[in-house]
Amino acid sequence: MQLIDGKKLSQKVQESVSIEVEELKVEKNIVPGLAVLLIGDDPASHAYVKMKAKACEKVGFYSITHNMPDTISQDEIIATIEMMNSNPRIDGILVQLPLPKHIDTEKILEVINPEKDVDGFHAYNVGRLVTGLEGFVACTPLGVMKMFKEYNIDLEGKDVCVVGASNIVGKPMASLLLNANATVTVTHIFTKDLKSHTSKADIIVVGVGVPKLIKEDMVKEGAIVIDIGINRIEDGSLVGDVDFENVSSKCSFITPVPGGVGPMTIAMLLSNTLKAAKGRK
Ligand code: GUN
């Protein structure tokens, strides 16, 4: 069994982003800029945004966070996004999800200029991904693809089971895998027999937010297991969606939690923002 070290790989990505930022400054006088919209007071969202801002600072980006109360109207959020769309110092716009219930998330995401959509959530970029065209891709699944590449994991013809069908993780993950010529099964909350799918898979990618959902008897010997889940359990510790203790010995590769996919999300956000800055018009 080999551990896939997301922390180490994310540092490697961040170092290469830093170098490119320096070159972009010297050659084109461009400092990549990221605007983050944070609405409401969800503690997890605040923690994520803080980490994102810190990572931006570390690689030499310009970044601003717009903190808004959850009583804010949809029109006010839209007006802020439009301001960021026309701000020449801003290359990437990120609206931290989830949004308060009275806000129509899809409507908000559609306001972001697709060229500044570094989260890859705009329907334009989602459509390009599904079609196999170049565009911005959601950071977490993109980070998983980076891990496959770094560890020379070939996807062509592999049976991959994606557990979870969210817009942020499962759906873009399935599209990326399909584009890489894998045979992809997507399971979700209405799937009748999860085990019948996971136990046949060469690779399992799970991101549902259910602690230790994937048990030993659901995984084939020698399988590759990618755990996107991050859950805090009663004793205060962080666990993934995989029962790591009992599953890991069966795997050829597995990601730990924490230190697996988590750090890759921020690394790919930096990478996407750099890409947007390079395309600055
Ligand atoms: N909420 C959970 N994950 C993400 C993410 O990758 N981007 C944004 N904007 N919100 C999230």
Side-chain angles (χ1 to χ4, degrees), residues 14 34 45 48 53-54 85 89 121 124 162-163 177 208-209 229 231 238-239 263 269:
Q14 294 192 39
L34 177 71
S45 290
Y48 287 132
K54 207 170 140 194
N85 279 342
R89 288 186 71 190
F121 292 166
Y124 173 85
V162 176
V163 182
L177 291 161
V208 289
N231 314 287
L238 286 175
V239 298
L269 171 67

Side-chain angles (χ1 to χ4, degrees), residues 50-268:
K50 214 168 150 186
M51 286 196 288
K52 287 171 185 178
K54 207 170 140 194
C56 282
E57 193 188 326
K58 220 167 142 195
V59 297
F61 286 3
Y62 163 66
S63 88
I64 42 175
T65 302
H66 288 270
N67 252 301
M68 299 166 173
D70 60 8
T71 49
I72 199 154
S73 72
Q74 186 153 304
D75 287 346
E76 284 172 284
I77 301 173
I78 290 174
T80 307
I81 295 173
E82 282 170 346
M83 206 166 69
M84 295 299 113
N85 279 342
S86 53
N87 183 339
R89 288 186 71 190
I90 296 300
D91 300 290
I93 302 169
L94 181 152
V95 179
Q96 187 64 29
L97 303 181
L99 293 175
K101 285 196 171 50
H102 67 282
I103 306 291
D104 181 342
T105 302
E106 285 311 314
K107 225 176 211 149
I108 293 295
L109 296 176
E110 295 276 282
V111 179
I112 299 171
N113 176 351
E115 291 178 0
K116 297 191 176 189
D117 174 35
V118 288
D119 247 340
F121 292 166
H122 192 292
Y124 173 85
N125 283 313
V126 175
R128 289 187 70 88
L129 169 63
V130 173
T131 322
L133 296 171
E134 169 62 31
F136 286 108
V137 177
C139 302
T140 302
L142 193 60
V144 173
M145 294 305 279
K146 187 89 185 165
M147 288 174 142
F148 288 139
K149 193 160 181 227
E150 179 74 9
Y151 285 80
N152 295 312
I153 295 167
D154 185 27
L155 298 166
E156 195 163 275
K158 295 282 163 61
D159 291 322
V160 186
C161 183
V162 176
V163 182
S166 67
N167 287 342
I168 294 181
V169 177
K171 288 186 203 168
M173 189 74 247
S175 291
L176 284 165
L177 291 161
L178 198 52
N179 292 346
N181 300 328
T183 302
V184 185
T185 303
V186 183
T187 67
H188 45 77
I189 192 123
F190 296 108
T191 297
K192 279 185 288 191
D193 182 4
L194 176 61
K195 183 178 162 183
S196 72
H197 298 284
T198 57
S199 57
K200 279 190 294 203
D202 301 312
I203 303 174
I204 300 169
V205 183
V206 54
V208 289
V210 178
K212 302 186 185 181
L213 173 72
I214 305 298
K215 307 274 189 231
E216 189 183 355
D217 64 345
M218 298 166 78
V219 179
K220 185 169 85 172
E221 196 67 48
I224 296 167
V225 174
I226 308 291
D227 189 352
I228 298 173
I230 183 149
N231 314 287
R232 199 171 287 283
I233 55 172
E234 295 108 60
D235 68 3
S237 64
L238 286 175
V239 298
D241 291 351
V242 177
D243 181 6
F244 185 90
E245 246 171 48
N246 298 307
V247 168
S248 59
S249 60
K250 288 186 94 174
C251 300
S252 55
F253 290 93
I254 187 166
T255 60
V257 175
V261 177
M264 293 307 296
T265 300
I266 290 186
M268 300 326 285

